[in-house]
Amino acid sequence: MNPNYRTQFNEEFSIEKYNHLVESITADFDYKPTFRIGETPFFISNELKKQLMEGCEEVIAFIQKEDFKELTNKALELNRKVPNEDEHTTFLAIDFGICEEDGNVIPKLIEVQGFPSLFNFQSNLAQKFKAEYPFLSDLTPYLNGLNPDSYLALIEEVICNHFPKENVILLEIEPEKQNTKIDFDYCHRDIGIPVICVTQLVQKGKLLFYTNEKGNEIQVKRIYNRVIFDELDLRADLKLNFDFSADLEVEWAGHPNWFFRISKFILPYLKGKYFIETTLLSDLKEIPPDLENYVLKPLFSFSGSGVIFHIKKGDIEAVKEKDLYILQKKVNYLPIIQSPDGKVKAEVRLLAVWKKDAPSPTIVTNLVRLSRGEMIGVKFNKDKDWVGGTVGMFEK
């Protein structure tokens, strides 16, 4: 998108530099990420940045509507409800496919989540790219005037809310086995909070405790929640010593209810040039004859699971819980990033945080996924290069 930066990057690129970047990340914790890291950042033009920010502002305006909770209560009825929900979400991840429409480049909203993403890894990945390619120091992965120090300070405040670090935990299901483990490692290093498995928590009355490395029992006062209930529900082998649905004396950095409220559930309500035609199956009056132009998606799945890309009429008819699926018009992803041997598609995830007493969220950084395959997710691009997770770079 920024031809000068792209030209210089491609001229300076080498497999050796790419391998060194991955080795540098691996060396930080003696751990190689299980997802593929893309060879290049995405150089985002000011024009595309403006469009992305406009699209985010429209999503945020919808989430800030006075009747938003009333509108999304059904999302909780269809899932599970956790007590002590806060006034607004703490995190937002807003995904745009970079598409082509009427000959023009335009971002199209693919998904929105009231859930955290790789806030700590992305910042470190940007610094790793700058170490390999010093000319990138002219660019930034951050938005709204943030720099590495102010960004980390803001993320720490949002996650910890000024509680002592030992009383704040990152909570996940077997965190050492998650694809996002590298983000947990950077979070522990850069913010200083412990990373705890759901099986390590113990409930005593309304209080939660974990045992630290010294064997001391420590009260949990705030949870940086990374648990996806979809995954938890599949893990009947796990023995939990607390109940998510209990009335606990604990704050949430990312209350679980917002994962359901801000999800594919709201896509049918969003109208405008950055949004895709989306219909809840229960509202579908007739099955479109051109199903090749649609994608069938479950509302609350994670990481692309359950998506049917090549739909047959029988797939729609076979869905029993039609309140839990959407039919979404396909969009035309534009191969936009020039690699050494062809062009690559991109999806940009804008990441936002919402401080407890702030009037609105702040868009802070981004995550980019590169693809040569039919679908964007890293698991759909095996055995290909210039694909995977990376970061977008903006002009300062």
Side-chain angles (χ1 to χ4, degrees):
M1 289 296 294
N2 270 324
N4 294 338
Y5 291 114
R6 171 54 55 211
T7 300
Q8 185 170 353
F9 184 91
N10 287 15
E11 286 173 353
E12 292 190 18
F13 173 79
S14 68
I15 295 296
E16 290 74 23
K17 283 186 178 181
Y18 172 70
N19 288 339
H20 187 263
L21 180 141
V22 175
E23 287 162 6
S24 175
I25 293 168
T26 303
D28 282 344
F29 308 102
D30 193 23
Y31 170 79
K32 184 177 181 180
T34 52
F35 59 86
R36 192 176 195 283
I37 296 169
E39 278 84 343
T40 178
F42 180 22
F43 303 120
I44 296 175
S45 69
N46 287 333
E47 182 182 0
L48 180 57
K49 174 185 174 182
K50 181 171 179 282
Q51 291 178 309
L52 289 165
M53 296 297 277
E54 283 177 359
C56 285
E57 286 163 9
E58 290 183 26
V59 172
I60 289 169
F62 180 79
I63 291 167
Q64 289 183 298
K65 286 167 66 92
E66 284 187 12
D67 62 346
F68 183 78
K69 282 197 174 185
E70 182 182 346
L71 190 71
T72 55
N73 279 338
K74 190 176 180 182
L76 298 185
E77 293 167 12
L78 294 168
N79 292 280
R80 68 167 88 184
K81 189 174 183 179
V82 175
N84 303 315
E85 180 183 321
D86 39 12
E87 284 301 306
H88 56 70
T89 188
T90 309
F91 303 105
L92 274 174
I94 308 174
D95 293 0
F96 292 92
I98 306 306
C99 300
E100 183 273 334
E101 188 175 78
D102 300 327
N104 298 313
V105 176
I106 186 168
K108 290 286 189 175
L109 182 74
I110 304 299
E111 189 163 355
V112 54
Q113 298 168 354
F115 196 75
S117 190
L118 307 184
F119 283 98
N120 288 91
F121 176 68
Q122 290 305 111
S123 182
N124 282 280
L125 177 61
Q127 301 311 311
K128 300 286 186 185
F129 268 118
K130 289 183 178 185
E132 296 296 327
Y133 302 91
F135 77 93
L136 296 181
S137 61
D138 294 339
L139 304 175
T140 179
Y142 308 109
L143 292 148
N144 283 308
L146 293 168
N147 59 44
D149 291 337
S150 60
Y151 171 81
L152 184 59
L154 176 57
I155 297 303
E156 180 176 318
E157 180 181 349
V158 167
I159 290 173
C160 298
N161 196 27
H162 308 292
F163 280 103
K165 301 291 178 63
E166 69 171 1
N167 300 119
V168 182
I169 63 166
L170 186 159
L171 186 67
E172 178 57 289
I173 302 161
E174 295 183 330
E176 72 282 358
K177 297 180 181 178
Q178 297 289 340
N179 280 336
T180 43
K181 178 185 183 301
I182 189 68
D183 184 61
F184 306 159
D185 288 339
Y186 280 117
C187 180
H188 176 63
R189 188 194 74 179
D190 295 344
I191 295 180
I193 63 172
V195 178
I196 300 295
C197 178
V198 289
T199 57
Q200 295 174 284
L201 284 185
V202 175
Q203 182 177 339
K204 296 182 179 182
K206 289 188 171 187
L207 305 182
L208 288 179
F209 298 87
Y210 73 97
T211 301
N212 68 10
E213 293 174 351
K214 297 178 181 178
N216 299 322
E217 198 171 63
I218 306 295
Q219 184 183 345
V220 177
K221 296 183 179 178
R222 188 166 169 88
I223 296 174
Y224 179 29
N225 182 49
R226 304 294 290 261
V227 176
I228 302 291
F229 283 155
D230 257 13
E231 183 182 354
L232 187 63
D233 291 341
L234 294 173
R235 295 298 306 274
D237 57 311
L238 295 178
K239 184 180 184 302
L240 267 60
N241 302 303
F242 79 104
D243 182 0
F244 272 99
S245 299
D247 182 15
L248 301 168
E249 289 185 12
V250 67
E251 284 189 7
W252 295 90
H255 192 285
N257 290 357
W258 289 103
F259 175 80
F260 300 114
R261 290 191 186 278
I262 302 175
S263 63
K264 297 185 193 79
F265 184 84
I266 69 171
L267 295 184
Y269 296 98
L270 296 170
K271 311 295 181 187
K273 65 179 180 179
Y274 298 119
F275 306 131
I276 305 168
E277 178 190 315
T278 305
T279 308
L280 198 64
L281 274 198
S282 57
D283 293 337
L284 192 67
K285 292 183 171 54
E286 60 180 2
I287 297 175
D290 57 337
L291 282 177
E292 68 275 8
N293 294 320
Y294 291 85
V295 183
L296 184 64
K297 297 180 178 181
L299 282 179
F300 303 111
S301 69
F302 202 67
S303 225
S305 62
V307 174
I308 301 178
F309 202 73
H310 300 288
I311 316 170
K312 298 181 176 63
K313 188 177 179 183
D315 295 324
I316 294 176
E317 293 172 337
V319 175
K320 292 178 181 175
E321 296 179 293
K322 289 187 165 49
D323 278 345
L324 297 178
Y325 281 78
I326 55 171
L327 193 65
Q328 190 174 61
K329 203 85 179 275
K330 285 181 182 175
V331 290
N332 182 26
Y333 278 85
L334 180 68
I336 197 170
I337 297 173
Q338 183 66 56
S339 79
D341 61 344
K343 291 195 173 182
V344 179
K345 303 170 189 174
E347 193 169 283
V348 180
R349 171 176 292 181
L350 278 297
L351 302 181
V353 297
W354 197 340
K355 288 165 63 171
K356 193 172 182 180
D357 299 320
S360 62
T362 301
I363 301 166
V364 292
T365 191
N366 75 94
L367 178 157
V368 172
R369 289 179 290 188
L370 308 179
S371 174
R372 294 179 190 255
E374 195 166 47
M375 292 181 74
I376 288 286
V378 289
K379 64 184 177 184
F380 302 106
N381 286 272
K382 292 178 180 175
D383 306 318
K384 296 181 174 72
D385 62 2
W386 283 62
V387 299
T390 186
V391 63
M393 293 287 197
F394 305 99
E395 293 182 48
K396 291 180 181 176

